[in-house]
Amino acid sequence: MRPPEHVLADLDAVVRRTFPDRDFPDAVSADTRVFADLGLASIDLVVLAERLEQHYGRRLPFGAFLKGLRDRRADDIAIGELVEFLRSNLS
Amino acid sequence: MPDVAVNGIRLFYQQAGDGPDVVLVHAVTSNQAVWAFSGLVDALAADYRVTTYDLRGHGASDRPAAGYTSADMAEDFRQLHAALDLGPAVLVGHSFGGVTALHAAALATEVVAGVILSDSFFPGLRDEEPNFGKMALWSDLRETFGRVGADLGGTVDFGRLFRAAADLPPEKMKELEAIYGAFGKGWLRQLAPLAETTCGEDVMAVAGLTAGVIASVRQPVVALYDEYSPFLATCRWLKANLANCTAEVIPAARHLAMLDNTAGFTEAVRRHLGRLCTGREACATKP
């Protein structure tokens, strides 16, 4: 499995590249929340998912990930959860 | 980012799966993320090629100043269908997405193989629908906006909603964002920009989709209406007046069936698609 810090760095770079006009915090950590801290909206996640697939060169099961969030009534997503999702599907 | 230039604008779309074409069309103020979060895309992608896209003015698609009637949106769809080289498609449309889908079925008969409606209100059937404007969702919205001093009025009025959002002072918008939470913030943010367009007024226009035109649709139509829908008179009218209409009530839903009763809605869509496609009543895979 890829080290979490590498995937976090990838994710940070892809987020900033995908939304170049947004005002993101300087440092993004596993605890950073996607909606509350980064200010992303649900449609941004669809766009980001596609960019991550491009970055890694493969389809990733984002549909199941997003539905899982809804099923457990999550009100936000920690970057750490996204990192773990990516790690488990990139191995 | 996959996008397609149609009708003078750029629409953002996604595709998954393989098989006969199914296109999911979201509602006004929504976007295609609703299909991903509800799991419908994944549930259908095992058997169909599923295309979702953001209607003009919504999500990651362009937001032109005008052209938001169901006729405009149906033409957007027709051009998207051609640009993506899809086969005859079954359209699943939620609310105004269903109006767009049925308008496309009427105008572009060769590309729409069937339509599955989810709780759609048709401006052309306003006289048939005694509950027009009396949506519980709108009452909730009105009550919530009222808490920050914005008056949305008694009946559904998207133009007024967009203007109210645009006119809210920043501190009031922050209050509203706190009420709607992290997920709802994104939904709130897209309302104000729509005030710069004709979307609010256009989506309530008949735009040629009269009762007569609706009744002329010959493709199979499935009318999925929610148990607590204000539009059950519309559902009955469709069943009685369309040549080939199957009606079904989705239990425990009140206009957002794909979220209110995800399992029930997904099962119903899969079952009806299977019926339409297995019997080749509607679907065909592009050769």
Side-chain angles (χ1 to χ4, degrees):
Chain A
M1 233 189 236
R2 299 177 191 220
E5 58 274 20
H6 288 191
V7 177
L8 177 62
D10 285 349
L11 186 54
D12 189 354
V14 174
V15 167
R16 290 176 199 279
R17 217 164 44 230
T18 304
F19 307 105
D21 303 329
R22 307 281 178 91
D23 189 19
F24 294 125
D26 290 338
V28 169
S29 72
D31 296 330
T32 302
R33 293 165 301 171
V34 168
F35 294 136
D37 299 327
L38 297 184
L40 297 188
S42 55
I43 187 62
D44 296 329
L45 279 181
V46 176
V47 175
L48 179 63
E50 184 197 311
R51 290 299 182 91
L52 286 165
E53 287 179 343
Q54 278 174 9
H55 177 79
Y56 290 114
R58 67 178 85 173
R59 293 300 288 246
L60 295 161
F62 273 102
F65 176 72
L66 298 179
K67 183 167 186 301
L69 292 169
R70 254 205 76 234
D71 288 347
R72 61 184 168 83
R73 298 177 185 279
D75 61 359
D76 213 324
I77 307 164
I79 283 289
E81 290 177 88
L82 209 40
V83 167
E84 284 314 304
F85 163 78
L86 291 170
R87 290 181 72 216
S88 61
N89 285 287
L90 290 170
S91 56
Chain B
M1 187 158 89
D3 51 34
V4 59
V6 299
N7 217 2
I9 55 167
R10 185 195 53 83
L11 298 180
F12 174 53
Y13 75 95
Q14 300 274 294
Q15 270 184 337
D18 199 14
D21 279 301
V22 175
V23 182
L24 310 182
V25 191
H26 67 76
V28 175
T29 79
S30 183
N31 59 59
Q32 65 183 300
V34 73
W35 304 119
F37 275 86
S38 70
L40 188 64
V41 174
D42 273 10
L44 300 182
D47 301 305
Y48 304 95
R49 177 166 60 179
V50 184
T51 303
T52 62
Y53 70 103
D54 290 331
L55 294 172
R56 57 169 63 203
H58 294 74
S61 288
D62 280 350
R63 192 177 56 244
Y68 289 86
T69 68
S70 59
D72 298 313
M73 303 276 199
E75 178 59 17
D76 288 350
F77 166 76
R78 192 187 66 76
Q79 293 192 26
L80 173 133
H81 182 281
L84 299 184
D85 197 25
L86 304 183
V90 176
L91 276 61
V92 181
H94 171 230
S95 196
F96 182 76
V99 183
T100 296
L102 205 68
H103 212 150
L107 294 177
T109 51
E110 69 287 0
V111 304
V112 180
V115 174
I116 299 179
L117 301 170
S118 174
D119 222 49
S120 297
F121 165 76
F122 291 86
L125 299 180
R126 186 174 301 210
D127 293 342
E128 308 290 338
E129 185 47 79
N131 287 328
F132 164 69
K134 294 180 189 162
M135 295 180 72
L137 274 184
W138 188 263
S139 305
D140 293 352
L141 210 56
R142 185 185 183 205
E143 191 271 326
T144 310
F145 272 67
R147 282 156 69 181
V148 297
D151 181 9
L152 297 186
T155 58
V156 176
D157 183 341
F158 285 106
R160 190 162 176 169
L161 171 65
F162 302 153
R163 287 189 295 276
D167 292 344
L168 269 186
E171 69 276 11
K172 293 291 180 189
M173 182 53 91
K174 276 205 179 323
E175 274 182 50
L176 211 48
E177 287 178 358
I179 295 169
Y180 277 102
F183 263 105
K185 205 161 78 173
W187 174 79
L188 278 172
R189 257 199 323 236
Q190 66 169 348
L191 300 179
L194 285 168
E196 298 161 14
T197 74
T198 59
C199 178
E201 289 68 36
D202 284 358
V203 295
M204 299 312 277
V206 176
L209 193 61
T210 60
V213 172
I214 293 171
S216 74
V217 169
R218 287 292 173 267
Q219 297 98 318
V221 173
V222 178
L224 300 180
Y225 276 74
D226 296 1
E227 181 178 7
Y228 303 110
S229 169
F231 305 136
L232 294 177
T234 298
C235 180
R236 288 190 292 274
W237 189 95
L238 294 168
K239 176 102 175 72
N241 289 278
L242 291 182
N244 186 353
C245 179
T246 306
E248 180 173 334
V249 169
I250 302 296
R254 48 166 232 166
H255 193 61
L256 299 171
M258 82 292 287
L259 302 177
D260 295 336
N261 180 355
T262 300
F265 180 75
T266 303
E267 187 278 324
V269 170
R270 279 183 61 86
R271 175 164 38 81
H272 286 289
L273 278 174
R275 179 174 61 81
L276 297 180
C277 294
T278 306
R280 283 282 179 242
E281 191 179 349
C283 308
T285 307
K286 183 105 176 171

